[in-house]
C-alpha cells in the first residue's frame, strides 16, 4: 500500500499560515529584547533606594527621638503611618490611577514627590511636619513599589519570573546594605 506524501509547497504554506496566526496571537505580548533587562535593573535600583531610605531611618530611630525630643511611641507611629499610607496608595494607584495614566507617568510623578518630600524631611522643624512629610513619602512609596514591578509585565513574557525576582531583590539587598552604610555615614 502506498502512503500519500504531502507536497512540499503545501507543507510550507501550512507552516507560513500557522506562523502568521501565531504572530497575530502574540501581537502585543512582551518580548525579552531591547530595553527589557534595563527595566528589570531599574526596578531593582528603585526597590533598593526606596526601601533603603526607609530602612536607614529605622537605624536613625534613636537620633530622631533625640532630635525631636519625643517618645519612642510617637516616633514609631511615623513608621506605621508611612506603611499604612503606602498600602492604601498602592491599592488606589493599581485600581484607579493606572486606568487613567501611563505607568511611566505615575512612576515619574511618584519619584518627584518622593524626592521633594525626602529633601523637606531633612528640614522639618517639628515632629508634626516630619510626620506629614513622611505620610507624603508613604503615598509616593506605594507608587514607587507598585509601578516598576508592573512595568516588568510589559517587557517580559518567558523570563518574567526571573525579571520580577531581580526587581524584588532590591528589597533584600537594601535591608542588608543600608543599615551598615547608614552607621558608617552617621
Amino acid at each position: 500500500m502506498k502512503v500519500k506524501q504531502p507536497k512540499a509547497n503545501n507543507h510550507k504554506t501550512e507552516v507560513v499560515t500557522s506562523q502568521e496566526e501565531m504572530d497575530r496571537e502574540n501581537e502585543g505580548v512582551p518580548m525579552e529584547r531591547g530595553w527589557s533587562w534595563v527595566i528589570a535593573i531599574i526596578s531593582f535600583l528603585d526597590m533598593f533606594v526606596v526601601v533603603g531610605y526607609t530602612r536607614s531611618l529605622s537605624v536613625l530611630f534613636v537620633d530622631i527621638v533625640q532630635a525631636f525630643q519625643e517618645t519612642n511611641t510617637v516616633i514609631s507611629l511615623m513608621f506605621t503611618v508611612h506603611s499604612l499610607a503606602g498600602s492604601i496608595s498602592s491599592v488606589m494607584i493599581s485600581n484607579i490611577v493606572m486606568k487613567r495614566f501611563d505607568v511611566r507617568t505615575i512612576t515619574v510623578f511618584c519619584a518627584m514627590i518622593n524626592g521633594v518630600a525626602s529633601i523637606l524631611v531633612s528640614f522639618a522643624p517639628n515632629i508634626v511636619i516630619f510626620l506629614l512629610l513622611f505620610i507624603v513619602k508613604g503615598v509616593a512609596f506605594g507608587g514607587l513599589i507598585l509601578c516598576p514591578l508592573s512595568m516588568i509585565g510589559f517587557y517580559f513574557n518567558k523570563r518574567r519570573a526571573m525579571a520580577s525576582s531581580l526587581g524584588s531583590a532590591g528589597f533584600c539587598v537594601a535591608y542588608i546594605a543600608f543599615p551598615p552604610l547608614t552607621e558608617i555615614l552617621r
Side-chain angles (χ1 to χ4, degrees):
M1 182 176 267
K2 196 173 187 183
V3 178
K4 210 174 192 182
Q5 296 286 335
K7 293 181 181 178
N9 289 343
N10 289 343
H11 181 68
K12 287 181 184 176
T13 306
E14 289 175 11
V15 171
V16 170
T17 304
S18 63
Q19 182 65 34
E20 288 173 0
E21 289 173 6
M22 285 177 51
D23 287 344
R24 272 188 247 119
E25 288 176 10
N26 290 333
E27 191 174 317
V29 174
M31 305 302 260
E32 290 84 9
R33 60 179 172 208
W35 289 94
S36 299
W37 289 105
V38 174
I39 297 296
I41 292 169
I42 294 300
S43 294
F44 171 86
L45 291 173
D46 175 64
M47 299 300 153
F48 179 75
V49 170
V50 171
V51 173
Y53 178 84
T54 305
R55 185 74 174 143
S56 67
L57 284 177
S58 64
V59 171
L60 298 172
F61 183 82
V62 175
D63 296 330
I64 295 169
V65 168
Q66 291 173 353
F68 291 111
Q69 298 174 354
E70 291 288 340
T71 64
N72 292 345
T73 307
V74 171
I75 301 301
S76 64
L77 176 68
M78 170 186 71
F79 294 105
T80 305
V81 170
H82 178 270
S83 296
L84 183 63
S87 298
I88 292 170
S89 72
S90 65
V91 169
M92 292 180 68
I93 287 171
S94 65
N95 290 316
I96 299 170
V97 179
M98 280 186 165
K99 291 179 181 178
R100 292 184 173 95
F101 298 102
D102 184 39
V103 177
R104 290 180 190 104
T105 305
I106 298 168
T107 304
V108 169
F109 181 74
C110 288
M112 290 180 356
I113 295 295
N114 190 41
V116 169
S118 296
I119 292 168
L120 293 176
V121 158
S122 63
F123 297 112
N126 56 34
I127 193 66
V128 174
I129 303 297
F130 193 84
L131 182 62
L132 290 174
L133 288 170
F134 220 60
I135 291 170
V136 171
K137 283 188 63 59
V139 171
F141 179 81
L144 288 174
I145 295 298
L146 177 72
C147 292
L149 290 178
S150 65
M151 283 183 68
I152 287 175
F154 296 134
Y155 287 89
F156 288 92
N157 187 22
K158 293 179 184 175
R159 295 189 178 116
R160 186 177 297 168
M162 185 187 309
S164 294
S165 298
L166 175 64
S168 297
F171 277 107
C172 302
V173 175
Y175 265 82
I176 293 168
F178 266 84
L181 181 63
T182 304
E183 284 294 327
I184 291 170
L185 293 174
R186 195 167 142 225

